[in-house]
Amino acid sequence: MKVKRPGLVTVIVDLNFLNVFLLIVSFFPKSKFIEQFGFYFNPTPSFFGGYN
């Protein structure tokens, strides 16, 4: 007999998979693949060296 997981556990697992996907995608910030989903990476200003 298969036991079904509670709904909250399923939501948490799905959010973890989304976080892993976004983490892997963030390793490639200059890719056109990311920009087609509407994510644009701008350089962040630094106090000690202008833009990194």
Side-chain angles (χ1 to χ4, degrees), residues 21 25 28-41:
F21 172 74
V25 166
F28 308 102
K30 299 296 180 188
S31 174
K32 295 289 182 187
F33 174 74
I34 300 170
E35 291 177 359
Q36 74 183 1
F37 294 110
F39 294 105
Y40 298 98
F41 294 96

Side-chain angles (χ1 to χ4, degrees), residues 4-50:
K4 189 175 177 183
R5 289 185 293 199
L8 183 62
V9 173
T10 305
V11 169
I12 291 172
V13 169
D14 291 343
L15 288 175
N16 281 331
F17 279 119
L18 177 65
N19 286 333
V20 167
F21 172 74
L22 292 175
L23 179 68
I24 291 171
V25 166
S26 70
F27 288 137
F28 308 102
K30 299 296 180 188
S31 174
K32 295 289 182 187
F33 174 74
I34 300 170
E35 291 177 359
Q36 74 183 1
F37 294 110
F39 294 105
Y40 298 98
F41 294 96
N42 295 324
T44 57
S46 172
F47 292 112
F48 301 111

